[in-house]
Amino acid sequence: MRYVLDQLEEEVGRIGRSGWRPMLRYVAGLHGRSIKAPRFPLSLPWEEIGPGYASGPAFGHWDIVHAVLDSLPVEPEHAANQIRNVLSVQQADGLLPGSIWMGCDPPAWSLKGHPPVWVYAVEEYCRLQRDDRFAAECFEPLRRNIKWYEARRRSANGGFFYTYDACWESGVDEGIRFGRSLPDSRAAVDATSHVFWLYRHAARWAERISPVNRNEYREKAEQLQTLIQSSFFDAETGFFHDGWSVGNPELRRFSIEGIWPLVTGAASPEQAERAIDENLLEPRRFFTVHPLASVAVCEPAFEPRMWRGPAWNSMTCWAAIGCMKYGRFDAAEKLLERALDASAKQFQRTGTIWEFYDSLGGEPEKLHRKPGYDRPCHDYLGHNPLIAMTRLWEECHSLSLMTSSIREKKEAAAAVSD
């Protein structure tokens, strides 16, 4: 069955730069090709994470959220139904499985989590539709998800962690942060930031739809925010790192997971400014030819493989959202524009969308992935919210021009008064 997201396909013909539009049209069509009829355990039409995925067809937890970002404004019910599919397989203990493998009979799913970014999609749906009913529908699954993290992933110092051996719950497979033995209080910057986000959304939704546990979630969010600002930010690097490595150069790694305190709003304004200027916009760290490098180029562990150096457009999108949260529309515009330019260049050359890209500007098909499939997958939507990134670029471009104009007028007025 061929599904067509008419509004999405119409939109991409008029947004962004003309050089991006052939790629965006292809992405819109790819979304349609990826939608499948309902099948156990998914009772609604579901979107696979891309027909070129090596282990597909599969329905992915944080992968599908990245795909949903493309369709949210113009195909809201399709987007909401993907979140409903995610929540429909929630386990009794609150775990949301990271991946569902739909190619076997019956389908199977992994009993590990993935970053719980689904709450952002719910919040965006409510904001765009100006209706909180979807948040009310998702509130109880959110509470259960929080309980799972509190019961299974709380660290000794009050933060949270992800398992990292064969599971890679962080979604960053074979990342560089866990190469050595870790102390017992192994609070991770990404897991702790994600649970902070769960608390913050729970407090907001409770405020709007129910007074139940409103103060409890707000207080928990405030406690985690204090912990993140005090224990995860390294004054020497101007960036966020895992709790066990802050102030310890032997354990400290420059990896993309340090963006999450910005994305979730946990960073202080001063910390956000340093993280953006000294790291995200720094060519010697993350601001590469195709941003953002998943591992800073100054890091000895940088290599052209998976999450150890290549660029993932989903993370650039999250970083841009984080920059916007702190009023840095100029930074978000630069990140998005450079990533879209680089993606369009490779699309023009290869005619496809790649799972991840060479952050140094080389050919993505020459990068390494994993044994058994040693290059990035093609036609991969799960980490390529390119339409959403284009919308964000347009917003940031307008706001940057407006901010620049206001600043110039203030400077001119100050010069006259002097």
Side-chain angles (χ1 to χ4, degrees), residues 175-190:
I176 67 169
R177 299 182 293 154
F178 309 105
R180 304 183 185 188
S181 60
L182 306 179
D184 290 336
S185 78
R186 47 183 176 146
V189 62
D190 48 354

Side-chain angles (χ1 to χ4, degrees), residues 249-322:
E250 290 188 7
L251 296 177
R252 190 172 59 209
R253 297 289 179 264
F254 283 94
S255 60
I256 195 63
E257 295 96 304
I259 68 172
W260 286 109
L262 278 73
V263 181
T264 62
S268 72
E270 296 77 16
Q271 290 172 340
E273 287 291 325
R274 289 197 63 191
I276 293 167
D277 290 329
E278 298 175 28
N279 291 274
L280 300 189
L281 295 182
E282 172 51 63
R284 291 169 295 181
R285 291 190 178 174
F286 294 98
F287 194 49
T288 43
V289 175
H290 188 146
L292 291 160
S294 51
V295 169
V297 292
C298 65
E299 172 64 54
F302 180 97
E303 61 176 301
R305 178 166 71 89
M306 284 289 286
W307 291 95
R308 303 175 74 90
W312 297 69
N313 282 326
S314 57
M315 301 303 276
T316 308
C317 184
W318 288 121
I321 290 170

Side-chain angles (χ1 to χ4, degrees), residues 271-396:
Q271 290 172 340
E273 287 291 325
R274 289 197 63 191
I276 293 167
D277 290 329
E278 298 175 28
N279 291 274
L280 300 189
L281 295 182
E282 172 51 63
R284 291 169 295 181
R285 291 190 178 174
F286 294 98
F287 194 49
T288 43
V289 175
H290 188 146
L292 291 160
S294 51
V295 169
V297 292
C298 65
E299 172 64 54
F302 180 97
E303 61 176 301
R305 178 166 71 89
M306 284 289 286
W307 291 95
R308 303 175 74 90
W312 297 69
N313 282 326
S314 57
M315 301 303 276
T316 308
C317 184
W318 288 121
I321 290 170
C323 291
M324 294 172 71
K325 189 162 290 185
Y326 289 89
R328 290 298 305 273
F329 305 108
D330 61 318
E333 180 186 5
K334 290 175 183 177
L335 297 178
L336 293 165
E337 183 173 305
R338 187 175 282 197
L340 287 163
D341 280 344
S343 299
K345 178 180 178 180
Q346 295 303 329
F347 176 77
Q348 183 178 23
R349 190 181 64 82
T350 64
T352 190
I353 303 300
W354 294 92
E355 182 181 13
F356 51 91
Y357 291 83
D358 188 344
S359 57
L360 302 182
E363 298 175 356
E365 62 268 38
K366 293 182 179 179
L367 298 171
H368 299 288
R369 190 174 185 272
K370 294 180 180 181
Y373 197 90
D374 194 32
R375 71 172 189 171
C377 300
H378 68 285
D379 282 355
Y380 192 99
L381 287 168
H383 281 282
N384 281 297
L386 293 164
I387 299 172
M389 290 167 68
T390 303
R391 293 193 200 102
L392 290 175
W393 175 83
E394 287 197 324
E395 181 180 353
C396 291

Side-chain angles (χ1 to χ4, degrees), residues 17 38 51 53 68 75 88 126 134 136 142 170 174 190 195 217 225 248 267 297 305 317 353-354 403 416:
R17 291 180 167 173
Y53 177 47
V68 158
E75 304 282 355
S88 72
C126 295
F134 192 37
L142 171 57
S170 67
E174 301 181 19
D190 48 354
V195 177
Y217 291 126
Q225 185 169 27
N248 188 338
V297 292
R305 178 166 71 89
C317 184
I353 303 300
W354 294 92
T403 302
V416 170

Side-chain angles (χ1 to χ4, degrees), residues 3 35-38 42-47 59 78 81-82 85:
Y3 288 81
I35 302 173
K36 310 297 181 183
L42 307 177
S43 61
L44 298 165
W46 56 280
E47 185 170 346
F59 181 79
H78 168 72
N81 283 342
Q82 302 318 299
N85 278 331

Side-chain angles (χ1 to χ4, degrees), residues 139-180:
F139 187 53
E140 191 55 36
L142 171 57
R143 294 180 65 188
R144 292 199 299 269
N145 201 199
I146 286 172
K147 289 181 180 178
W148 182 82
Y149 276 98
E150 291 178 336
R152 305 295 181 87
R153 296 294 180 264
R154 191 191 296 276
S155 69
N157 71 343
F160 292 84
F161 66 91
Y162 286 126
T163 58
Y164 59 87
D165 41 26
C167 292
W168 300 106
E169 286 179 332
S170 67
V172 179
D173 291 20
E174 301 181 19
I176 67 169
R177 299 182 293 154
F178 309 105
R180 304 183 185 188

